Amino acid sequence: HVGSVDEEPGTLGFAHLFEHLMFGGSKGFSKRALDQVHHASGGDNNARTSFDETVYESDVPVQALSSVLKIEADRMTNLTLTEENLANEKKIVTEELRLRAENDVVARILMTVQTRALAGHPYGHSPIGTKQDIAAATLEHAQQFYQDFYRPNRAHLVIVGPVDVDATL
């Protein structure tokens, strides 16, 4: 339950920025741990941000499920947020914004129409955000955003496949 509708003026694109920051490691796991578990098991992971939600997807065989759940639980409560990681992800998100929005004529037109037609509405800006707000993001603001929105009671966990229900719960 965190998407661009949760952003305030001055923080447009923060949910999307956080989509990236969530891969920065946690107290109990390194920055690369999630990718390592997925790749070692032949799995894949990805994330996406929309108006209403940020979705983190893990596609792994059942043998890797326990490892993925441990990492997910830790990053929901113990994410490592550093100036270095924030600076790096700000660059990546800004480049993504440039490629997907600024350099795409249709995207620019749609974003202009959206901004004007829905001015003042939570859907009145694109989840990708703005360069200005991403550039202004501080570590303190990132820590507050994490505390406000990345809590287990705001998350939905969906597990599909041949799992032992009791062991998984």
Side-chain angles (χ1 to χ4, degrees):
H1 289 301
V2 61
S4 63
V5 298
D6 297 301
E7 300 165 347
E8 300 172 359
T11 65
L12 303 184
F14 229 78
H16 179 228
L17 176 62
F18 238 87
E19 169 197 321
H20 289 256
L21 287 170
M22 286 297 288
F23 290 93
S26 62
K27 191 174 188 179
F29 296 94
S30 72
K31 185 175 185 172
R32 302 284 178 234
L34 191 62
D35 284 338
Q36 289 169 341
V37 167
H38 283 85
H39 295 157
S41 67
D44 193 25
N45 65 327
N46 206 343
R48 63 187 177 279
T49 301
S50 70
F51 294 106
D52 299 307
E53 64 187 358
T54 303
V55 175
Y56 299 92
E57 183 177 326
S58 291
D59 297 315
V60 294
V62 70
Q63 299 86 342
L65 178 61
S66 178
S67 296
V68 169
L69 290 177
K70 286 176 187 173
I71 295 169
E72 291 294 0
D74 198 51
R75 76 178 181 163
M76 282 294 289
T77 55
N78 298 304
L79 184 67
T80 302
L81 291 169
T82 65
E83 290 284 357
E84 178 185 5
N85 195 28
L86 178 60
N88 184 58
E89 296 306 330
K90 285 166 62 170
K91 288 178 190 172
I92 292 169
V93 168
T94 300
E95 180 63 11
E96 195 173 314
L97 194 153
R98 185 183 69 74
L99 288 172
R100 292 188 180 174
E102 294 178 349
N103 286 351
D104 184 326
V105 175
V106 173
R108 284 198 325 260
I109 292 169
L110 291 173
M111 286 172 63
T112 300
V113 169
Q114 176 184 11
T115 302
R116 291 182 183 169
L118 298 172
H121 189 278
Y123 289 178
H125 64 277
S126 170
I128 203 161
T130 68
K131 279 185 175 179
Q132 297 79 11
D133 288 1
I134 296 301
T138 66
L139 185 58
E140 293 76 25
H141 200 158
Q143 290 166 335
Q144 188 62 54
F145 194 85
Y146 179 70
Q147 287 176 327
D148 290 346
F149 296 106
Y150 279 84
R151 300 187 313 256
N153 65 336
R154 291 187 59 93
H156 291 263
L157 180 62
V158 178
I159 300 173
V160 178
V163 299
D164 179 317
V165 175
D166 293 331
T168 302
L169 292 174

